[in-house]
mmCIF file of all heavy atoms in Angstrom:
data_model
loop_
_atom_site.group_PDB
_atom_site.id
_atom_site.type_symbol
_atom_site.label_atom_id
_atom_site.label_comp_id
_atom_site.label_asym_id
_atom_site.label_seq_id
_atom_site.Cartn_x
_atom_site.Cartn_y
_atom_site.Cartn_z
ATOM 1 N N PHE A 16 -165.506 -36.457 15.072
ATOM 2 C CA PHE A 16 -166.305 -37.624 14.787
ATOM 3 C C PHE A 16 -165.416 -38.788 14.405
ATOM 4 O O PHE A 16 -164.325 -38.625 13.904
ATOM 5 C CB PHE A 16 -167.289 -37.332 13.642
ATOM 6 C CG PHE A 16 -168.359 -36.374 14.033
ATOM 7 C CD1 PHE A 16 -168.255 -35.023 13.746
ATOM 8 C CD2 PHE A 16 -169.468 -36.823 14.731
ATOM 9 C CE1 PHE A 16 -169.243 -34.141 14.121
ATOM 10 C CE2 PHE A 16 -170.462 -35.938 15.109
ATOM 11 C CZ PHE A 16 -170.349 -34.597 14.811
ATOM 12 N N LEU A 19 -166.592 -46.359 15.982
ATOM 13 C CA LEU A 19 -166.316 -47.217 17.127
ATOM 14 C C LEU A 19 -166.404 -48.654 16.660
ATOM 15 O O LEU A 19 -167.435 -49.083 16.146
ATOM 16 C CB LEU A 19 -167.336 -46.964 18.239
ATOM 17 C CG LEU A 19 -167.171 -47.789 19.520
ATOM 18 C CD1 LEU A 19 -165.893 -47.376 20.219
ATOM 19 C CD2 LEU A 19 -168.367 -47.579 20.431
ATOM 20 N N HIS A 35 -160.117 -42.874 15.190
ATOM 21 C CA HIS A 35 -160.154 -41.455 14.868
ATOM 22 C C HIS A 35 -160.361 -41.329 13.359
ATOM 23 O O HIS A 35 -159.557 -41.798 12.583
ATOM 24 C CB HIS A 35 -158.847 -40.790 15.264
ATOM 25 C CG HIS A 35 -158.886 -39.297 15.125
ATOM 26 N ND1 HIS A 35 -159.425 -38.484 16.091
ATOM 27 C CD2 HIS A 35 -158.464 -38.488 14.139
ATOM 28 C CE1 HIS A 35 -159.310 -37.228 15.713
ATOM 29 N NE2 HIS A 35 -158.745 -37.204 14.532
ATOM 30 N N ALA A 44 -153.126 -35.735 23.213
ATOM 31 C CA ALA A 44 -153.647 -36.640 24.238
ATOM 32 C C ALA A 44 -152.606 -37.691 24.561
ATOM 33 O O ALA A 44 -151.806 -38.069 23.709
ATOM 34 C CB ALA A 44 -154.922 -37.298 23.722
ATOM 35 N N ALA A 56 -145.301 -47.021 19.163
ATOM 36 C CA ALA A 56 -145.826 -47.094 20.526
ATOM 37 C C ALA A 56 -144.683 -46.925 21.520
ATOM 38 O O ALA A 56 -143.534 -47.268 21.232
ATOM 39 C CB ALA A 56 -146.519 -48.433 20.749
ATOM 40 N N VAL A 59 -142.334 -50.855 25.961
ATOM 41 C CA VAL A 59 -143.061 -51.665 26.939
ATOM 42 C C VAL A 59 -142.333 -51.606 28.273
ATOM 43 O O VAL A 59 -141.108 -51.776 28.332
ATOM 44 C CB VAL A 59 -143.184 -53.123 26.453
ATOM 45 C CG1 VAL A 59 -143.778 -54.013 27.548
ATOM 46 C CG2 VAL A 59 -144.042 -53.188 25.196
ATOM 47 N N LEU A 83 -168.371 -62.578 34.715
ATOM 48 C CA LEU A 83 -168.985 -61.269 34.492
ATOM 49 C C LEU A 83 -169.973 -60.853 35.578
ATOM 50 O O LEU A 83 -170.721 -59.899 35.380
ATOM 51 C CB LEU A 83 -169.679 -61.254 33.123
ATOM 52 C CG LEU A 83 -168.761 -61.564 31.932
ATOM 53 C CD1 LEU A 83 -169.559 -61.565 30.647
ATOM 54 C CD2 LEU A 83 -167.627 -60.561 31.866
ATOM 55 N N GLN A 114 -154.443 -63.531 19.205
ATOM 56 C CA GLN A 114 -154.263 -62.085 19.106
ATOM 57 C C GLN A 114 -154.519 -61.620 17.687
ATOM 58 O O GLN A 114 -154.183 -62.312 16.721
ATOM 59 C CB GLN A 114 -152.843 -61.712 19.537
ATOM 60 C CG GLN A 114 -152.550 -60.218 19.541
ATOM 61 C CD GLN A 114 -151.234 -59.901 20.217
ATOM 62 O OE1 GLN A 114 -151.013 -60.272 21.368
ATOM 63 N NE2 GLN A 114 -150.346 -59.222 19.518
ATOM 64 N N THR A 115 -155.130 -60.449 17.563
ATOM 65 C CA THR A 115 -155.362 -59.853 16.263
ATOM 66 C C THR A 115 -155.058 -58.368 16.354
ATOM 67 O O THR A 115 -154.710 -57.861 17.420
ATOM 68 C CB THR A 115 -156.818 -60.089 15.802
ATOM 69 O OG1 THR A 115 -156.963 -59.650 14.452
ATOM 70 C CG2 THR A 115 -157.795 -59.327 16.688
ATOM 71 N N ASP A 138 -153.476 -50.474 25.882
ATOM 72 C CA ASP A 138 -153.800 -49.068 26.129
ATOM 73 C C ASP A 138 -153.915 -48.737 27.604
ATOM 74 O O ASP A 138 -154.322 -47.637 27.966
ATOM 75 C CB ASP A 138 -155.089 -48.683 25.402
ATOM 76 C CG ASP A 138 -156.261 -49.591 25.761
ATOM 77 O OD1 ASP A 138 -156.072 -50.496 26.605
ATOM 78 O OD2 ASP A 138 -157.345 -49.403 25.186
ATOM 79 N N HIS A 142 -159.190 -54.834 32.876
ATOM 80 C CA HIS A 142 -160.514 -55.441 32.972
ATOM 81 C C HIS A 142 -160.622 -56.183 34.298
ATOM 82 O O HIS A 142 -159.818 -57.079 34.583
ATOM 83 C CB HIS A 142 -160.751 -56.418 31.822
ATOM 84 C CG HIS A 142 -160.860 -55.760 30.486
ATOM 85 N ND1 HIS A 142 -162.035 -55.730 29.761
ATOM 86 C CD2 HIS A 142 -159.944 -55.101 29.745
ATOM 87 C CE1 HIS A 142 -161.830 -55.083 28.617
ATOM 88 N NE2 HIS A 142 -160.565 -54.690 28.597
ATOM 89 N N VAL A 143 -161.597 -55.802 35.107
ATOM 90 C CA VAL A 143 -161.915 -56.521 36.334
ATOM 91 C C VAL A 143 -163.173 -57.326 36.039
ATOM 92 O O VAL A 143 -164.251 -56.756 35.857
ATOM 93 C CB VAL A 143 -162.150 -55.550 37.508
ATOM 94 C CG1 VAL A 143 -162.537 -56.324 38.766
ATOM 95 C CG2 VAL A 143 -160.917 -54.693 37.749
ATOM 96 N N PHE A 151 -160.347 -54.996 44.397
ATOM 97 C CA PHE A 151 -159.071 -55.454 43.861
ATOM 98 C C PHE A 151 -158.093 -54.283 43.880
ATOM 99 O O PHE A 151 -158.503 -53.119 43.852
ATOM 100 C CB PHE A 151 -159.249 -55.985 42.440
ATOM 101 C CG PHE A 151 -160.110 -57.208 42.364
ATOM 102 C CD1 PHE A 151 -161.467 -57.099 42.107
ATOM 103 C CD2 PHE A 151 -159.580 -58.471 42.568
ATOM 104 C CE1 PHE A 151 -162.283 -58.222 42.045
ATOM 105 C CE2 PHE A 151 -160.375 -59.605 42.512
ATOM 106 C CZ PHE A 151 -161.726 -59.483 42.245
ATOM 107 N N LEU A 164 -143.796 -54.091 42.473
ATOM 108 C CA LEU A 164 -144.382 -52.765 42.676
ATOM 109 C C LEU A 164 -144.248 -52.419 44.145
ATOM 110 O O LEU A 164 -144.750 -53.129 45.019
ATOM 111 C CB LEU A 164 -145.863 -52.741 42.285
ATOM 112 C CG LEU A 164 -146.572 -51.399 42.560
ATOM 113 C CD1 LEU A 164 -146.045 -50.305 41.631
ATOM 114 C CD2 LEU A 164 -148.093 -51.542 42.417
ATOM 115 N N PRO A 171 -139.263 -52.980 36.265
ATOM 116 C CA PRO A 171 -137.809 -52.823 36.233
ATOM 117 C C PRO A 171 -137.339 -51.405 36.507
ATOM 118 O O PRO A 171 -136.140 -51.175 36.690
ATOM 119 C CB PRO A 171 -137.457 -53.247 34.809
ATOM 120 C CG PRO A 171 -138.670 -52.900 34.014
ATOM 121 C CD PRO A 171 -139.831 -53.161 34.916
ATOM 122 N N ILE A 177 -143.980 -41.458 42.220
ATOM 123 C CA ILE A 177 -145.122 -40.610 42.566
ATOM 124 C C ILE A 177 -146.358 -41.266 41.970
ATOM 125 O O ILE A 177 -146.383 -41.588 40.775
ATOM 126 C CB ILE A 177 -144.957 -39.185 42.013
ATOM 127 C CG1 ILE A 177 -143.700 -38.534 42.596
ATOM 128 C CG2 ILE A 177 -146.192 -38.335 42.327
ATOM 129 C CD1 ILE A 177 -143.380 -37.184 41.980
ATOM 130 N N VAL A 184 -152.502 -36.739 44.114
ATOM 131 C CA VAL A 184 -151.394 -37.533 44.631
ATOM 132 C C VAL A 184 -151.929 -38.547 45.636
ATOM 133 O O VAL A 184 -152.738 -38.209 46.512
ATOM 134 C CB VAL A 184 -150.332 -36.635 45.295
ATOM 135 C CG1 VAL A 184 -149.280 -37.479 45.999
ATOM 136 C CG2 VAL A 184 -149.678 -35.732 44.261
ATOM 137 N N ARG A 190 -149.401 -50.114 46.455
ATOM 138 C CA ARG A 190 -149.951 -51.439 46.182
ATOM 139 C C ARG A 190 -151.427 -51.529 46.580
ATOM 140 O O ARG A 190 -152.158 -52.392 46.073
ATOM 141 C CB ARG A 190 -149.155 -52.521 46.911
ATOM 142 C CG ARG A 190 -147.751 -52.743 46.355
ATOM 143 C CD ARG A 190 -147.060 -53.924 47.045
ATOM 144 N NE ARG A 190 -147.863 -55.142 46.954
ATOM 145 C CZ ARG A 190 -147.835 -55.984 45.917
ATOM 146 N NH1 ARG A 190 -147.054 -55.735 44.874
ATOM 147 N NH2 ARG A 190 -148.590 -57.070 45.929
ATOM 148 N N SER A 191 -151.867 -50.640 47.453
ATOM 149 C CA SER A 191 -153.248 -50.686 47.926
ATOM 150 C C SER A 191 -154.191 -49.830 47.091
ATOM 151 O O SER A 191 -155.391 -49.761 47.392
ATOM 152 C CB SER A 191 -153.313 -50.244 49.388
ATOM 153 O OG SER A 191 -153.023 -48.858 49.507
ATOM 154 N N VAL A 208 -144.825 -36.195 35.993
ATOM 155 C CA VAL A 208 -145.671 -35.803 34.877
ATOM 156 C C VAL A 208 -147.042 -35.434 35.434
ATOM 157 O O VAL A 208 -147.614 -36.179 36.237
ATOM 158 C CB VAL A 208 -145.802 -36.961 33.870
ATOM 159 C CG1 VAL A 208 -146.755 -36.593 32.734
ATOM 160 C CG2 VAL A 208 -144.429 -37.340 33.321
#
Side-chain angles (χ1 to χ4, degrees):
F16 291 97
L19 180 67
H35 188 82
V59 173
L83 302 178
Q114 183 169 305
T115 188
D138 55 2
H142 292 247
V143 178
F151 295 94
L164 176 68
I177 300 174
V184 172
R190 290 185 55 85
S191 69
V208 177

